Amino acid sequence: MSIEQGDRALPQAAGGAVAVRPRLDWPDEPRLAQRNPVSAWLRFFASEIRLVFGRPRNLALLGVLGFVPVFFGVVFRLTISSVDGGGGPPFLNQLAGNGVFLALVVLTVMLTVLLLPLSAAVVSGDAIAGEAALGTLRGLLTVPAGRTRLLAVKYAAIVVFSLAACLLVAAMSLVMGLILFHVGQVTLLSGTTVSLGAGVLRVLAVAVFAAAAMASLSAIGLAASTLTQHPVGAIAGVLIVTVASEICDQVPQLSAIHAYLPTHYWLSWDGLFRSPTDWSGVEHGLVSFAVYAVIFGSIAWAKLTSADVSS
Amino acid sequence: MRKLSVRTRWAVPVGVVAVTGIVIAAAAVASAAAVPSLPSRTPRQLLTEIAQGMATPLGPLTATVQQTANLGFPALALPAQEGGASGPSAGPQSVTIWYRDPRHVRVAEQVLAGETDLRRDGRTLWVWNSKTQTATRYMLPARKSHGGSGPAGGSVPGTPSAAAAQLLTAIGPTTVVSVQRNVYVARRAAYQLSLVPRSSKSLVGSVVIAIDARRHIPLRVEVYPRGSSTVAYSIGFTALSFGPPAASNFNFTPPSGATVKKVTVPGNLTSILGQAVPGAAGLGSLVPGAPGAGLGSLSFGPGAHGSVTPATARLITGMLAPAKLPKFLPALPPQVRRQIEAQFAKSLPAGLSKARRAALIKAFARHLLGRRPLSRGVIAQLGTNAGPATAAPRVIGAGWLSVVATPPSPQVAAAVRLALHGSPGAGQSSPAYNSAPAVSPPAGQVLAALPALLRAATPVHGTWGRGWLLQTALVNVLVTTKGQILAGAVTPSVLYADVAADAG
Amino acid sequence: MSLSAQLAGAIHASTETDAGFAVTSSGLSKRFGGGQLAVDQIDLAVPAGSVYGFLGPNGSGKTTTIRMLLGLIRPTAGSHAMLGLPMPGRQADALPLVGSLVEGPAFYPHLSGRANLTRLDAADATADAATARRRIDAALARVGLLGAADKRYKAYSLGMKQRLGIATSLLRPRQLVILDEPTNGLDPQGTREVRALIRQIAADGTTVFVSSHLLAEVEQVCTHVGVMRAGRLVYQGSLAQLRGQAGLLVRTPKPELAAQVLAELGLAGIRQGDGADQEVTAELGAMLPEVICERLVLAGVPVAGLETPRRSLEDEFVELTGEGFDVD
Ligand SMILES: Nc1ncnc2c1ncn2[C@@H]1O[C@H](COP(=O)(O)OP(=O)(O)OP(=O)(O)O)[C@@H](O)[C@H]1O
Ligand SMILES: [Mg+2]
């Protein structure tokens, strides 16, 4: 009976019911085994990762991000004598004494001069709008990749990219710090010291925190990406939001809303360099990032799952 | 995936935003509206409890104290904290305190990527500044017996209830004392005691003190200007937990690579400073009478400087004072510095040779400028005969209407002229303040602050003379052409009257 | 009998009316934001196993219809089902069985043809990773791209891109393949190959829904056609039906006699050529030409020629969609 044959050839619907009676027999084609949803997700995710990390533009971005610590390391090495404790980015005053701080200086600089936000904006703003512009979005949706699933996989890959970018910057900075500067026990802001290993761990924690900040910004980028078919528009939108938020954060008259700005907690990891470790900044930051990610993630979801794809 | 309508889908982000907003608003409302139910108290009962609470030594604790000043004119009279963690910003400033006993204290002022730490471990006091990477060690003088960590004797006489009664009688004629709605401060249930000046000439609308329901210590003091429901000044705990902090908070080893300075504090130096400096137009709050003296002391109501100084405020300023000293000294106004030097000269033994005397004075002056720590020789010469200070700013009036007034000073008068005309020698014809050219001011914080102060002030005149009046929500400052500065939480008419009375 | 088989039976019973159709729609309409009614209440019925040519001039709504069928855009009104499954509710179950190429190929330019197919296969939650390589190579081979499989997509010619697009619909066994203008940009050989491919796919039993404005393409491979005009489905049926009955043309010096014989035979629509033509035409109907020829000869009509001409599809098409060149 043809139904029996078809049962094995067809995916099982969620309820266990067979979806369609096949009206034809494919000679000797591979049987569609009941697919393990986890492995299917992983396969799609791996494909997305390959896409994000294989795109020449993104590789160029990572290259620039990796080069910045080298550049700053050399500049600071040459000018360190003229750098005094007063001005400059935080932790710069400790750089001469300990190269570990190069990572903190570079991460701070790259967060504030929009280099890391830019890369997060490029990857997230491109996520959906880029596929729409290429026309590949309709291909994915008719596969069907599933709109919610596509969005989830996209965001997961963006988070991985953010993490990779921040860890790359931290790692390159640590290497440059090791080469160019004296390295030893790490003096915390409170004046106490921790071992080099513990210091490096804290630096990596800062990189992860910065990645969380970028992942949260990427959620805004993802939402922007579903609202337009032009990736450049989405990227510009994210950067405008970032700059506007940073400006508002500097205006004392707006102090009432400072804590609710998306960029407010980007540098609030300094508590990790106090003794005893002050987690409150990190905790507030992570909560803020998560709330922004959920809000804009849900906007992206609502938009993408209800949008007409006519690109 | 079942088909959801577009509207249903958009309901999700709308719902997320709404929930976020509701949670934020509810948290704000809950913290503002949460009223702990406590047995009711009369003002007298509360004051009695406070007196009891203050009589009990404050146990070990870890706390965060936040101070907010919203005077309508940001931190003008406050000196910038050089090299300090915070700038002269008007935002809330907070410090974290680890306290075991008066001799084991750590106070940290934390700002973004910076920290100033004061750690006291017995006689050793370390000040650490992360921005400059400097650690300064002060060897404090051997302690005179101060009765442990108990309250300063004078302010709480007799039994607590007697003290309360006494306090009420003392402030009764000038102040309406009442108990207000209970609140939570630093997550602790607290009563609120409200002090409202009877005089309409006071700028203070009310002073509200939150008192811990269990330990009977002040948790927060808020000052409201007259006719406003916005807090102009508040200081209070934002976090408070009792229990001994880790010993690692108190001892300190300077990190390698840091600049280490060592200073030995002579027995009477702080008292010299304490007498010479306070009241110099706004500097007073930063240099209290003596570091560590006032822990747990309570001086309610209109105090000597016309403002309420609760134990918490005293606690902070008292412990922070040594931290501020090294940063603050180099920027002393020259005339204040000369006063201190004069005090120092007077305190030297009479039998010294002229050259020796001059050398010691020079060494001390250099120390005052922050260039060099005091040598043993200078310290040795500092006997106990430092006489009481004279010619310090005075307090005119009493209670809520008290005004701090500096004596007429030629330097201030010259600085005023300089700020307004660009020439210290110009005549005293009343100039329009806004035609004032920007002139680099003479050194010294008060004088440095003058141009800005004058720019914000309006020229006034009357039978008492001419001057410039700076009005803020809580404080009015009058600078006269004679170089007298008067400040108080009072209406301008009180200041004018005081000038007239002072001159007459 | 297992529970799932019972359920399957129940579902079949409930969708019995659709059983013979791969695609059905009723009142399917799309009005775009601008207010334009791109598709106006069309009732599609694509018989299972057919090759359905979806015809219409530019802008008549073919692509819009296909997008709605595939769940890319929401219909403004109406409903449709694919393979008997209501859309978009059962989209996730239906679409894996539907291969499609919508409005030309679209791929990542920096990836090779094979990598692009791998990417699409990875996106399919129901595809088997273990057989991916084999299936992808098979699909590439079927469209003749195996040799260029590792070239970057951006280095492909127009025709190669089109072939890669068709290959995506062949990644898995399908029950329905929807191709939107699959021969766009192909050379004559390519066009022939695509035709052959469509025949091959159809021979496997797969329903093919192919949109085109190239009549020759449709004429040669389709069994059924639907004709769109300005958003409306103006004709739907088998190709033979569209063409209608063949005609009969008799060339003879005695047209009157011939007309009389044909009338005796009961043929309809007899017309005598005017003047010198000496032709008689009629509708052939069910009559066989050889029988007519025999009767004419027996009746003494000198038959100079006898034809059974059919109307060209182009004539039909123009008749249905109008003569104008301008897009509606
Ligand atoms: N996203 C859109 N927004 C607004 N109008 C659209 C959109 N897509 C298509 N249309 C309009 O809908 C009508 C039908 O377009 P469609 O692409 O379906 O035509 P088509 O039959 O595929 O034409 P062609 O043969 O040229 O591919 C056209 O008039 C077109 O302008
Ligand atoms: Mg089209």
Side-chain angles (χ1 to χ4, degrees), chain A residues 310, chain C residues 32 36 38 57-64 103 181 213:
Chain A
S310 50
Chain C
F32 280 107
Q36 187 184 358
N58 291 138
S60 57
K62 303 184 295 294
T63 304
T64 305
E103 200 159 59
E181 311 204 9
H213 47 243

Side-chain angles (χ1 to χ4, degrees), chain A residues 182-268:
Chain A
H182 174 79
V183 167
Q185 282 201 324
V186 175
T187 304
L188 302 181
L189 291 172
S190 306
T192 51
T193 52
V194 293
S195 70
L196 179 60
V200 168
L201 259 182
R202 283 168 204 240
V203 167
L204 293 180
V206 170
V208 172
F209 182 79
M214 291 305 98
S216 157
L217 184 69
S218 298
I220 299 178
L222 196 61
S225 189
T226 60
L227 297 171
T228 171
Q229 297 211 358
H230 308 289
V232 177
I235 295 165
V238 176
L239 291 181
I240 288 168
V241 166
T242 308
V243 170
S245 167
E246 287 191 342
I247 288 172
C248 290
D249 209 13
Q250 298 300 315
V251 177
Q253 283 77 12
L254 299 177
S255 60
I257 62 160
H258 281 177
Y260 307 111
L261 292 171
T263 63
H264 182 70
Y265 291 101
W266 280 10
L267 298 179
S268 69

Side-chain angles (χ1 to χ4, degrees), chain A residues 94 187-193 270-271 273-278, chain B residues 98 106 108 110 114-119 127-130 133 249 251-253 255:
Chain A
Q94 283 179 268
T187 304
L188 302 181
L189 291 172
S190 306
T192 51
T193 52
D270 54 350
F273 288 85
R274 301 189 198 279
S275 157
T277 310
D278 177 9
Chain B
W98 294 262
R106 175 181 166 199
Q110 300 172 338
E115 191 168 318
T116 306
D117 276 279
L118 177 144
R119 293 180 175 87
V127 177
W128 162 255
N129 184 323
S130 76
Q133 293 281 299
N249 282 304
N251 47 43
F252 182 70
T253 314

Side-chain angles (χ1 to χ4, degrees), chain A residues 3-4 7 9-33 35-36 40 43-44 47-48 50-51 54-56 131 134-147 149-150 154 305-311, chain C residues 4-5 7-8 11-12 16 18-19 21 30 32 48 67 70-74 83-85 90-93 95-98 100 102-111 118-129 131-132 134-135 142 172-175 204-206:
Chain A
I3 292 174
E4 303 267 305
D7 279 349
L10 281 168
Q12 300 286 307
V18 177
V20 189
R21 178 183 58 191
R23 294 178 190 89
L24 37 112
D25 298 319
W26 279 77
D28 212 27
E29 279 291 347
R31 293 279 168 239
L32 295 172
R35 304 286 304 132
N36 176 354
R43 186 169 173 228
F44 192 15
S47 154
E48 186 64 34
R50 266 197 299 278
L51 190 72
R55 186 157 286 188
E131 301 269 6
L134 275 180
T136 43
L137 184 57
R138 59 174 187 263
L140 287 171
L141 293 185
T142 51
V143 156
R147 298 188 183 207
R149 184 165 167 265
L150 175 67
K154 285 268 172 200
T305 56
S306 60
D308 277 357
V309 176
S310 50
S311 59
Chain C
S4 84
L7 278 168
I11 287 168
H12 289 152
E16 203 51 59
D18 293 337
F21 295 98
K30 179 68 188 181
F32 280 107
R67 283 182 189 280
L70 293 170
L72 289 173
I73 60 181
R74 274 168 191 266
L83 304 171
L85 297 169
R90 300 288 302 277
Q91 184 168 300
D93 301 323
L95 287 184
L97 301 168
V98 180
S100 60
V102 186
E103 200 159 59
F107 294 96
Y108 306 99
H110 67 283
L111 294 184
T118 311
R119 156 88 175 153
L120 284 175
D121 195 59
D124 189 343
T126 56
D128 184 9
T131 60
R134 193 157 62 82
R135 288 184 288 113
R142 279 182 93 175
R172 292 178 49 180
R174 310 285 191 183
Q175 294 189 22
D204 291 341
T206 303

